[in-house]
């Protein structure tokens, strides 16, 4: 059989294609009996940015922790005392041999940014400035603070920072180290597009000008595209085993990953491709008006942040995408809608019943996932709930786990499910893409869309993942202004107008990958970039 069909091909005509299965060889690392095994390791290159792309639970963090000398690989023998010598032997004759030997001899310095920045406050007691000073081996903190726009929070205690602030502080703290190899485990969660691009530029510069080696695990394809010179794809069976391929060119790696087929490995990693339809902006679904709001102003006090909202309306049965930089008043607007905040000017008399998934998911109760979800909806367990909510969000496998034991991506999916399971007039999801892998983003997008279509529900989705917003939204609400100082927003507009306005504010244009239609960020100043800006087509260029 070729691996796609289960039965032998009656025509005997198809070339043999492999399906991921546990390899015959010894793994690089196995956590225990019947526990996760990792095959292969990425090979960081001096002066280059190397990416790793793959689903959650496939061993990316494990691989990074091995290369950062935090885990000594046991080559599958989890009972024995692991040794670097044995690992070096295993990789003799490969590019990794030198790396591992240098590591054994303490000839190289490594720095690692962990995946879950939310946990930093548990480990560091102090303010931003103290944390950054403690890692500033290159004497570059002032520049990093400036480039990553950390200035406003330098004197703030770490445990008062928002997720986006923590992410940038963690990046600065890692990049300030004087290392030969930098390991960055997800750089985009909680960052807006402008901040993502700024972080990507810094990382590239450190590789190119500093001749350092950067290894980046990332799910945001637009950022990987912008950032990585080469890409390792990780595939396998999440939670069971993972294989890290040798490097591919970034474009090839992303395209093969999306297609679900790795050419060099002749490996089908997913039954179907993830497709980016090249759709013209769809006509908005026309429902009755759900809520009409007048001009509003919200100020947190004298000299504090002020948001100005131009009068507008949200329709029933539409998905409204909400875009704009961080700190510009998107959540403030959401809180005005819920009635949790009163505007300082203007009156909002609609009191909507809102189901809200906040940006930072906090569901750390000692409770099982199934019990938690059953406490939210009577539909829990019904076949409708299974097909509409649990299925697309892939919750079956984690139902019996405790909320406290979930990974970031698992917690996010449970939180989205909990939000959609409430009875409400308006579903408000703040950054549902955070910590989800590419496939989970597509599934979550589908779940949210289907749910709103089938229930004539209305949703407001705040997200920085431009692909997710594109697939999900009928109309856009664009926020602009000066982050942390003042924000403004005009009424919801169609997708084309909204994307042009939003990306025009950022001065970023997108083109389509010829093979997959995947939107890709244009190089600033390139011919396409200039042409599109001239035509005012930042996203849906023909
Ligand atoms: P990724 O970074 O691709 O999401 P990880 O490397 O974090 O994947 O995890 C891969 C698998 O290894 C997961 O199933 C995870 O539960 C498991 N795992 C991670 N750390 C340990 C550990 N210390 N003991 C046992 N299993 C672990
Ligand atoms: P966004 O959702 O676009 O990231 P927010 O609406 O959360 O932005 O915040 C906008 C600005 O208002 C930020 O600078 C934030 O620090 C400030 N802010 C939010 N809540 C309060 C508050 N209760 N008091 C004072 N300032 C606040």
């Amino acid at each position: 059989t070729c691996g796609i069909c289960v039965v032998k091909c009656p025509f005997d005509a198809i070339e043999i294609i492999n399906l991921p299965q546990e390899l015959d060889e010894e793994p690089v690392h196995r956590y225990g009996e019947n526990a996760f095994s990792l095959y292969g390791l990425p090979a960081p290159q001096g002066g280059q940015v190397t990416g790793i792309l793959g689903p959650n639970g496939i061993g990316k963090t494990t691989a990074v922790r091995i290369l950062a000398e935090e885990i000594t690989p046991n080559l599958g023998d989890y009972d024995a005392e692991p040794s670097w010598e044995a690992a070096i032997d295993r990789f003799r004759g490969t590019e990794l041999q030198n790396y591992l030997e240098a590591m054994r001899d303490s000839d190289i310095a490594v720095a690692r940014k962990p995946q879950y920045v939310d946990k930093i406050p548990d480990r560091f007691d102090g303010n931003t400035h103290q944390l950054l000073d403690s890692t500033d081996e290159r004497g570059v903190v002032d520049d990093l603070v400036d480039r990553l726009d950390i200035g406003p929070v330098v004197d703030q205690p770490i445990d008062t920072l928002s997720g986006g602030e923590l992410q940038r502080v963690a990046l600065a703290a890692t990049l300030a180290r004087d290392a030969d190899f930098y390991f960055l485990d997800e750089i985009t969660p909680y960052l807006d597009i402008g901040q993502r691009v700024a972080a990507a530029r810094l990382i590239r510069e450190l590789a190119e000008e500093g001749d350092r080696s950067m290894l980046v695990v990332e799910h945001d394809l637009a950022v990987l595209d912008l950032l990585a010179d080469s890409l390792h794809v990780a595939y396998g069976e999440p939670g069971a085993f993972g294989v890290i391929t040798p490097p591919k060119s970034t474009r090839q790696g992303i395209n093969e990953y999306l297609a679900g087929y790795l050419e060099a490995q002749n490996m089908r990693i997913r039954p179907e491709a993830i497709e980016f339809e090249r759709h013209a902006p769809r006509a908005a679904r026309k429902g009755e008006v759900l809520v009409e709001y007048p001009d509003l102003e919200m100020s947190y006090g004298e000299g504090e942040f002020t948001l100005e909202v131009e009068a507008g309306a949200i329709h029933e049965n539409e998905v409204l995408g909400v875009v704009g930089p961080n700190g510009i008043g998107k959540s403030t607007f959401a809180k005005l809608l819920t009635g949790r905040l009163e505007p300082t000017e203007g009156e909002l008399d609609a009191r909507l019943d809102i189901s809200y998934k906040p940006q930072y998911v906090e569901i750390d109760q000692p409770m099982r996932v199934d019990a938690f979800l059953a406490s939210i909806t009577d539909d829990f367990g019904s076949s409708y709930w299974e097909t509409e909510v649990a299925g697309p969000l892939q919750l079956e496998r984690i139902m019996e786990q405790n909320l406290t034991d979930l990974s970031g991506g698992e917690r996010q999916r449970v939180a989205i499910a909990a939000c959609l399971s409430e009875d409400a007039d308006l579903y408000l999801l703040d950054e549902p893409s955070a910590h989800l892998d590419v496939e989970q983003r597509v599934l979550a997008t589908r779940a949210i869309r289907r749910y709103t279509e089938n229930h004539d529900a209305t949703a407001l989705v705040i997200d920085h993942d431009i692909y997710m917003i594109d697939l999900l939204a009928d109309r856009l609400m664009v926020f602009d202004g000066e982050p942390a100082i003042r924000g403004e927003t005009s009424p919801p507009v169609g997708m084309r107008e909204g994307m042009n306005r939003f990306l025009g504010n950022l001065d970023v244009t997108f083109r389509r990958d010829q093979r997959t239609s995947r939107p890709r960020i244009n190089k600033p100043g390139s011919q396409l970039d200039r042409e599109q800006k001239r035509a005012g087509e930042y996203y849906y260029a023909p």
Side-chain angles (χ1 to χ4, degrees):
T1 68
C2 71
I4 296 179
C5 328
V6 186
V7 293
K8 186 165 174 9
C9 173
F11 310 108
D12 245 352
I14 300 174
E15 80 175 294
I16 305 296
I17 295 176
N18 301 314
L19 278 186
Q21 43 182 290
E22 187 112 25
L23 306 189
D24 242 352
E25 61 195 72
E26 276 179 354
V28 173
H29 190 72
R30 175 171 286 151
Y31 280 113
E33 195 179 354
N34 296 323
F36 180 83
S37 308
L38 175 71
Y39 297 84
L41 280 178
Q45 305 279 331
Q48 297 226 349
V49 182
T50 307
I52 308 183
L53 171 63
N56 283 328
I58 209 80
K60 302 180 302 299
T61 300
T62 304
V64 163
R65 294 188 60 208
I66 290 173
L67 293 181
E69 221 182 338
E70 290 172 27
I71 297 178
T72 311
N74 59 24
L75 306 181
D77 193 356
Y78 46 85
D79 279 333
E81 186 65 26
S83 91
W84 282 107
E85 287 309 325
I88 291 167
D89 247 4
R90 165 74 183 276
F91 286 97
R92 204 161 288 286
T94 73
E95 283 178 76
L96 270 171
Q97 182 187 346
N98 291 343
Y99 178 86
L100 297 176
E101 281 174 350
M103 192 162 83
R104 173 199 59 194
D105 301 338
S106 305
D107 277 349
I108 50 173
V110 301
R112 177 168 90 92
K113 187 199 80 67
Q115 182 178 17
Y116 297 121
V117 294
D118 325 43
K119 301 214 169 107
I120 295 174
D122 301 340
R123 293 197 303 259
F124 187 86
D125 201 13
N127 66 23
T128 302
H129 169 65
Q130 288 162 327
L131 174 67
L132 292 179
D133 279 351
S134 73
T135 69
D136 190 16
E137 296 162 357
R138 299 197 296 126
V140 290
V141 152
D142 289 346
D143 182 47
L144 290 171
V145 163
D146 186 42
R147 300 268 307 266
L148 291 169
D149 202 16
I150 294 170
V153 297
V154 278
D155 292 321
Q156 232 168 281
I158 289 290
D159 61 5
T160 65
L161 299 187
S162 73
E165 288 160 353
L166 268 178
Q167 186 70 269
R168 282 173 289 142
V169 169
L171 264 170
T174 310
L175 298 180
R177 287 203 183 275
D178 187 10
D180 306 293
F181 292 85
Y182 294 79
F183 299 101
L184 305 164
D185 204 343
E186 288 198 52
I187 58 171
T188 63
Y190 312 131
L191 298 191
D192 63 40
I193 294 189
Q195 294 165 339
R196 289 174 190 203
V197 171
R201 290 207 176 119
L202 267 176
I203 293 167
R204 279 228 61 88
E205 278 175 26
L206 201 53
E208 282 168 14
E209 290 159 23
D211 198 31
R212 321 234 171 188
S213 171
M214 322 295 290
L215 189 73
V216 183
V217 175
E218 187 49 59
H219 297 300
D220 183 327
L221 299 180
V223 165
L224 264 183
D225 231 344
L226 203 61
L227 185 62
D229 297 296
S230 62
L231 190 67
H232 295 268
V233 175
Y235 69 90
E237 204 182 309
F241 74 96
V243 183
I244 304 224
T245 68
K248 302 166 183 284
S249 79
T250 303
R251 172 166 181 257
Q252 177 103 7
I254 293 179
N255 285 355
E256 289 185 6
Y257 179 73
L258 293 175
Y261 174 69
L262 306 180
E263 281 172 19
Q265 286 70 33
N266 186 27
M267 180 73 65
R268 166 75 43 197
I269 57 170
R270 197 183 315 106
E272 62 220 40
I274 294 173
E275 311 225 324
F276 289 93
E277 299 146 60
R278 189 180 171 132
H279 63 82
R282 65 178 80 79
R285 286 184 272 174
K286 287 222 169 53
E288 304 277 308
V289 168
L290 174 74
V291 57
E292 229 168 334
Y293 49 85
D295 287 348
L296 298 170
E297 193 183 292
M298 171 64 213
S299 170
Y300 284 109
E302 187 73 24
E304 306 261 340
F305 178 81
T306 304
L307 172 70
E308 280 178 34
V309 180
E310 203 183 307
I314 300 173
H315 296 149
E316 280 175 8
N317 189 18
E318 76 174 338
V319 179
L320 206 54
V322 178
V323 292
N326 281 331
I328 206 76
K330 302 185 295 299
S331 307
T332 301
F333 176 70
K335 285 178 198 152
L336 289 173
L337 286 180
T338 60
R340 277 166 60 192
L341 277 182
E342 290 287 337
T344 34
E345 267 176 49
E347 206 164 327
L348 193 81
D349 53 12
R351 282 289 173 264
L352 296 176
D353 213 350
I354 293 186
S355 176
Y356 179 46
K357 186 205 80 67
Q359 185 177 24
Y360 311 115
V361 174
E362 283 174 13
I363 46 169
D364 280 344
Q365 313 156 45
M367 193 186 216
R368 267 170 49 159
V369 171
D370 47 8
F372 171 67
L373 292 170
S375 74
I376 291 173
T377 175
D378 293 337
D379 290 330
F380 177 83
S382 71
S383 67
Y384 130 79
W385 189 85
E386 296 285 339
T387 34
E388 304 270 301
V389 180
L393 292 167
Q394 298 176 309
L395 299 182
E396 297 89 343
R397 283 212 336 235
I398 54 169
M399 280 295 181
E400 293 174 11
Q401 291 189 30
N402 270 316
L403 292 173
T404 43
D405 295 337
L406 300 180
S407 71
E410 290 165 346
R411 187 171 312 155
Q412 186 68 267
R413 275 141 54 211
V414 171
I416 296 172
C419 176
L420 294 181
S421 296
E422 303 258 6
D423 246 341
D425 305 317
L426 182 66
Y427 296 85
L428 212 162
L429 296 119
D430 198 344
E431 205 170 349
S433 75
H435 295 306
L436 296 189
D437 65 36
V438 175
E439 209 165 341
Q440 290 166 344
R441 283 177 199 199
V442 172
L443 291 171
T445 300
R446 224 176 269 160
I448 297 166
R449 243 204 109 77
R450 243 173 76 170
Y451 186 89
T452 53
E453 276 169 8
N454 294 347
H455 292 78
D456 293 339
T458 307
L460 219 121
V461 181
I462 304 174
D463 211 286
H464 299 299
D465 183 323
I466 197 106
Y467 307 144
M468 190 164 194
I469 288 291
D470 186 25
L471 292 174
L472 199 52
D474 298 299
R475 295 196 300 159
L476 275 186
M477 216 169 158
V478 183
F479 282 68
D480 192 23
E482 286 172 78
I485 297 170
R486 48 159 216 101
E488 61 193 24
T489 182
S490 41
V493 292
M495 290 300 287
R496 171 174 259 137
E497 188 183 343
M499 282 289 201
N500 282 340
R501 208 181 280 179
F502 169 53
L503 295 174
N505 292 341
L506 280 168
D507 207 30
V508 171
T509 61
F510 280 76
R511 69 182 180 288
R512 298 289 164 151
D513 185 82
Q514 290 190 337
R515 219 169 100 190
T516 61
S517 297
R518 170 172 62 88
R520 306 179 68 184
I521 295 178
N522 287 323
K523 260 210 171 67
S526 65
Q527 194 183 343
L528 268 181
D529 184 56
R530 282 178 292 142
E531 275 172 19
Q532 284 181 231
K533 280 178 185 162
R534 235 183 340 258
E537 287 291 0
Y538 283 76
Y539 190 77
Y540 296 106

